[in-house]
Amino acid sequence: MALQPSLRPFIVAGRYDAPHTLEIFLDYVCPFSAKMALAIDSVLKPLFSPGGKYEGKVKAIIRLQVQPWHGSSTFTHEAALAVARVSPEAFWPFSLALFKQQGDYFDIPTSTLTPLQIREKLANLAASLDSKLWSGDAGAKFKDLLTLKSSPNGGVAVTDDLKYTIKFSRQNGIHVSPTVLWDGLIANEISSSWGEKEWTEFLAAKVAV
Protein backbone atom coordinates (compact mmCIF):
# COMPACT_ATOMS: atom_id res chain seq x y z
CA MET A 1 0.00 0.00 0.00
CA ALA A 2 1.40 3.38 -1.02
CA LEU A 3 -0.27 6.66 -0.17
CA GLN A 4 1.26 10.09 -0.42
CA PRO A 5 1.08 11.96 2.92
CA SER A 6 -1.36 14.63 1.72
CA LEU A 7 -3.91 11.90 1.01
CA ARG A 8 -3.84 10.34 4.50
CA PRO A 9 -7.56 11.26 4.93
CA PHE A 10 -8.30 8.57 2.32
CA ILE A 11 -7.83 6.01 5.11
CA VAL A 12 -11.48 6.06 6.11
CA ALA A 13 -11.51 3.05 8.44
CA GLY A 14 -8.89 1.34 10.60
CA ARG A 15 -5.42 2.35 11.72
CA TYR A 16 -2.70 3.48 9.35
CA ASP A 17 -0.38 0.67 10.51
CA ALA A 18 -2.92 -2.15 10.19
CA PRO A 19 -1.23 -5.04 8.31
CA HIS A 20 -4.12 -5.87 5.97
CA THR A 21 -5.37 -3.30 3.45
CA LEU A 22 -8.56 -2.90 1.48
CA GLU A 23 -8.18 -0.37 -1.33
CA ILE A 24 -11.54 0.60 -2.75
CA PHE A 25 -11.71 2.53 -6.03
CA LEU A 26 -14.85 4.66 -6.21
CA ASP A 27 -16.30 7.27 -8.54
CA TYR A 28 -18.60 9.86 -7.01
CA VAL A 29 -21.05 9.72 -9.93
CA CYS A 30 -21.19 5.91 -10.13
CA PRO A 31 -24.36 4.39 -8.55
CA PHE A 32 -22.53 1.15 -7.74
CA SER A 33 -19.80 3.12 -5.96
CA ALA A 34 -22.48 4.81 -3.88
CA LYS A 35 -23.82 1.43 -2.75
CA MET A 36 -20.35 0.30 -1.74
CA ALA A 37 -19.63 3.56 0.09
CA LEU A 38 -22.69 3.06 2.27
CA ALA A 39 -21.54 -0.50 3.06
CA ILE A 40 -18.09 0.80 3.99
CA ASP A 41 -19.66 3.21 6.43
CA SER A 42 -22.22 0.85 7.97
CA VAL A 43 -20.30 -2.45 7.90
CA LEU A 44 -16.54 -1.96 7.59
CA LYS A 45 -15.97 1.13 9.71
CA PRO A 46 -17.46 -0.45 12.85
CA LEU A 47 -15.40 -3.61 12.30
CA PHE A 48 -12.12 -1.71 11.83
CA SER A 49 -12.66 1.02 14.43
CA PRO A 50 -11.68 0.88 18.13
CA GLY A 51 -13.57 -1.95 19.76
CA GLY A 52 -14.32 -3.60 16.42
CA LYS A 53 -13.46 -7.21 15.63
CA TYR A 54 -10.66 -6.23 13.24
CA GLU A 55 -9.31 -3.19 15.07
CA GLY A 56 -5.61 -2.85 14.27
CA LYS A 57 -5.80 -5.65 11.70
CA VAL A 58 -7.41 -4.10 8.61
CA LYS A 59 -7.64 -0.61 7.17
CA ALA A 60 -9.77 0.67 4.29
CA ILE A 61 -8.44 3.23 1.83
CA ILE A 62 -10.64 5.07 -0.62
CA ARG A 63 -9.03 5.52 -4.01
CA LEU A 64 -10.60 8.16 -6.23
CA GLN A 65 -11.46 6.68 -9.64
CA VAL A 66 -12.33 9.41 -12.15
CA GLN A 67 -14.42 7.96 -14.98
CA PRO A 68 -14.19 10.51 -17.80
CA TRP A 69 -17.29 9.27 -19.62
CA HIS A 70 -19.19 11.08 -16.86
CA GLY A 71 -18.62 14.74 -17.60
CA SER A 72 -18.77 15.99 -14.01
CA SER A 73 -16.65 13.22 -12.50
CA THR A 74 -13.48 15.31 -12.52
CA PHE A 75 -15.19 18.21 -10.73
CA THR A 76 -16.56 15.99 -7.96
CA HIS A 77 -13.18 14.39 -7.35
CA GLU A 78 -11.42 17.77 -7.32
CA ALA A 79 -13.92 18.88 -4.69
CA ALA A 80 -13.19 15.87 -2.48
CA LEU A 81 -9.47 16.53 -2.76
CA ALA A 82 -10.02 20.15 -1.77
CA VAL A 83 -12.08 19.08 1.26
CA ALA A 84 -9.29 16.69 2.29
CA ARG A 85 -6.84 19.58 2.30
CA VAL A 86 -9.04 22.10 4.09
CA SER A 87 -10.50 19.77 6.71
CA PRO A 88 -9.09 16.22 6.59
CA GLU A 89 -11.66 14.87 9.04
CA ALA A 90 -14.43 16.13 6.73
CA PHE A 91 -13.29 14.04 3.75
CA TRP A 92 -15.39 10.97 4.50
CA PRO A 93 -18.53 12.85 5.66
CA PHE A 94 -18.30 14.95 2.49
CA SER A 95 -17.83 11.82 0.38
CA LEU A 96 -20.93 10.23 1.90
CA ALA A 97 -22.95 13.40 1.37
CA LEU A 98 -21.80 13.53 -2.24
CA PHE A 99 -22.68 9.88 -2.84
CA LYS A 100 -26.13 10.43 -1.35
CA GLN A 101 -26.72 13.39 -3.67
CA GLN A 102 -24.79 12.08 -6.65
CA GLY A 103 -27.87 12.34 -8.88
CA ASP A 104 -27.41 16.11 -8.89
CA TYR A 105 -24.09 15.56 -10.68
CA PHE A 106 -25.18 13.00 -13.26
CA ASP A 107 -24.78 13.75 -16.97
CA ILE A 108 -28.20 15.27 -17.70
CA PRO A 109 -28.58 17.44 -14.56
CA THR A 110 -25.14 18.98 -15.19
CA SER A 111 -25.43 19.21 -18.97
CA THR A 112 -26.56 22.86 -18.86
CA LEU A 113 -24.20 23.94 -16.07
CA THR A 114 -20.82 25.60 -16.47
CA PRO A 115 -17.78 24.29 -14.57
CA LEU A 116 -18.05 27.28 -12.24
CA GLN A 117 -21.68 26.47 -11.49
CA ILE A 118 -20.86 22.82 -10.76
CA ARG A 119 -18.08 23.88 -8.40
CA GLU A 120 -20.46 26.27 -6.66
CA LYS A 121 -22.93 23.42 -6.10
CA LEU A 122 -20.12 21.36 -4.60
CA ALA A 123 -19.12 24.28 -2.36
CA ASN A 124 -22.70 24.48 -1.11
CA LEU A 125 -22.65 20.76 -0.38
CA ALA A 126 -19.47 21.14 1.66
CA ALA A 127 -21.05 24.05 3.52
CA SER A 128 -23.89 21.75 4.59
CA LEU A 129 -21.51 19.59 6.65
CA ASP A 130 -21.55 19.65 10.44
CA SER A 131 -20.13 22.95 11.67
CA LYS A 132 -17.61 21.02 13.78
CA LEU A 133 -16.08 19.82 10.51
CA TRP A 134 -16.66 22.84 8.30
CA SER A 135 -16.57 26.27 9.85
CA GLY A 136 -14.77 29.59 9.82
CA ASP A 137 -12.95 30.20 6.57
CA ALA A 138 -13.21 26.58 5.35
CA GLY A 139 -15.55 27.56 2.56
CA ALA A 140 -13.28 30.32 1.32
CA LYS A 141 -10.25 28.01 1.39
CA PHE A 142 -12.21 25.34 -0.50
CA LYS A 143 -13.21 27.76 -3.25
CA ASP A 144 -9.66 29.10 -3.46
CA LEU A 145 -8.30 25.59 -4.08
CA LEU A 146 -10.75 25.15 -6.96
CA THR A 147 -10.09 28.50 -8.60
CA LEU A 148 -8.24 28.62 -11.91
CA LYS A 149 -5.32 30.94 -11.41
CA SER A 150 -2.21 30.02 -13.38
CA SER A 151 -1.79 29.47 -17.10
CA PRO A 152 -4.85 29.07 -19.36
CA ASN A 153 -4.53 25.28 -19.10
CA GLY A 154 -2.84 24.96 -15.70
CA GLY A 155 -5.67 23.50 -13.65
CA VAL A 156 -6.38 24.28 -10.01
CA ALA A 157 -4.47 23.86 -6.75
CA VAL A 158 -5.50 20.22 -6.33
CA THR A 159 -4.72 19.20 -9.92
CA ASP A 160 -1.47 17.50 -8.91
CA ASP A 161 -3.33 15.43 -6.31
CA LEU A 162 -5.88 14.52 -8.97
CA LYS A 163 -3.09 13.47 -11.34
CA TYR A 164 -1.62 11.28 -8.61
CA THR A 165 -4.90 9.42 -8.11
CA ILE A 166 -5.37 8.90 -11.84
CA LYS A 167 -1.79 7.73 -12.40
CA PHE A 168 -2.11 5.32 -9.48
CA SER A 169 -5.20 3.76 -11.03
CA ARG A 170 -3.66 3.54 -14.48
CA GLN A 171 -0.42 1.90 -13.38
CA ASN A 172 -2.42 -0.70 -11.44
CA GLY A 173 -4.76 -1.44 -14.35
CA ILE A 174 -7.92 -0.21 -12.63
CA HIS A 175 -10.58 0.36 -15.29
CA VAL A 176 -13.95 0.71 -13.58
CA SER A 177 -15.54 1.47 -10.25
CA PRO A 178 -15.99 -0.01 -7.83
CA THR A 179 -12.83 -2.12 -7.89
CA VAL A 180 -11.43 -3.50 -4.63
CA LEU A 181 -7.90 -4.66 -3.84
CA TRP A 182 -7.11 -6.91 -0.89
CA ASP A 183 -3.47 -6.59 0.12
CA GLY A 184 -2.58 -5.27 -3.31
CA LEU A 185 -4.42 -7.77 -5.51
CA ILE A 186 -7.80 -7.25 -7.18
CA ALA A 187 -10.53 -9.18 -5.39
CA ASN A 188 -12.99 -9.76 -8.20
CA GLU A 189 -15.42 -11.55 -5.92
CA ILE A 190 -16.24 -8.36 -4.00
CA SER A 191 -19.44 -6.74 -5.21
CA SER A 192 -21.22 -3.47 -4.57
CA SER A 193 -24.21 -5.56 -3.54
CA TRP A 194 -22.35 -6.99 -0.55
CA GLY A 195 -23.82 -6.43 2.88
CA GLU A 196 -22.82 -7.46 6.38
CA LYS A 197 -23.05 -11.22 5.70
CA GLU A 198 -20.77 -11.21 2.65
CA TRP A 199 -18.19 -8.86 4.17
CA THR A 200 -18.11 -10.83 7.41
CA GLU A 201 -17.49 -14.07 5.56
CA PHE A 202 -14.81 -12.50 3.36
CA LEU A 203 -12.89 -11.02 6.28
CA ALA A 204 -13.13 -14.23 8.31
CA ALA A 205 -11.46 -16.09 5.44
CA LYS A 206 -8.81 -13.47 4.66
CA VAL A 207 -7.59 -11.90 7.89
CA ALA A 208 -4.50 -13.76 9.02
CA VAL A 209 -3.30 -11.74 12.02
Side-chain angles (χ1 to χ4, degrees), residues 188-205:
N188 286 315
E189 68 268 34
I190 296 177
S191 168
S192 61
S193 65
W194 277 19
E196 184 176 2
K197 176 179 180 294
E198 293 82 4
W199 276 114
T200 299
E201 292 175 348
F202 175 86
L203 291 168

Side-chain angles (χ1 to χ4, degrees), residues 22-195:
L22 274 170
E23 295 177 80
I24 306 166
F25 292 75
L26 302 178
D27 176 13
Y28 288 113
V29 289
C30 166
F32 301 104
S33 291
K35 289 178 64 177
M36 183 160 283
L38 296 178
I40 293 167
D41 197 59
S42 63
V43 178
L44 297 183
K45 275 184 71 70
L47 289 172
F48 301 167
S49 296
K53 182 176 182 179
Y54 297 106
E55 176 190 358
K57 297 181 179 181
V58 186
K59 61 182 171 290
I61 299 174
I62 297 303
R63 297 287 189 179
L64 303 189
Q65 176 71 4
V66 176
Q67 298 189 124
W69 48 88
H70 296 307
S72 68
S73 182
T74 294
F75 299 120
T76 61
H77 289 273
E78 284 179 341
L81 289 164
V83 168
R85 280 210 199 178
V86 173
S87 177
E89 64 274 16
F91 169 75
W92 185 237
F94 175 79
S95 293
L96 288 174
L98 184 47
F99 278 122
K100 290 174 182 177
Q101 296 187 34
Q102 66 175 191
D104 293 346
Y105 303 92
F106 284 175
D107 296 345
I108 291 178
T110 58
S111 62
T112 59
L113 300 179
T114 67
L116 292 178
Q117 289 172 322
I118 295 172
R119 287 182 170 127
E120 186 63 30
K121 281 175 64 70
L122 290 162
N124 291 336
L125 181 62
S128 72
L129 296 174
D130 190 307
S131 60
K132 294 179 180 178
L133 300 173
W134 201 256
S135 61
D137 60 354
K141 290 180 178 178
F142 173 87
K143 290 182 179 181
D144 185 62
L145 289 172
L146 297 181
T147 298
L148 296 164
K149 295 179 181 178
S150 57
S151 66
N153 205 30
V156 296
V158 296
T159 296
D160 284 344
D161 285 345
L162 184 70
K163 288 179 179 179
Y164 171 88
T165 66
I166 292 172
K167 290 175 181 179
F168 187 90
S169 293
R170 287 177 176 175
Q171 77 170 14
N172 287 288
I174 308 300
H175 300 292
V176 297
S177 69
T179 295
V180 182
L181 276 60
W182 173 260
D183 289 345
L185 297 179
I186 294 176
N188 286 315
E189 68 268 34
I190 296 177
S191 168
S192 61
S193 65
W194 277 19

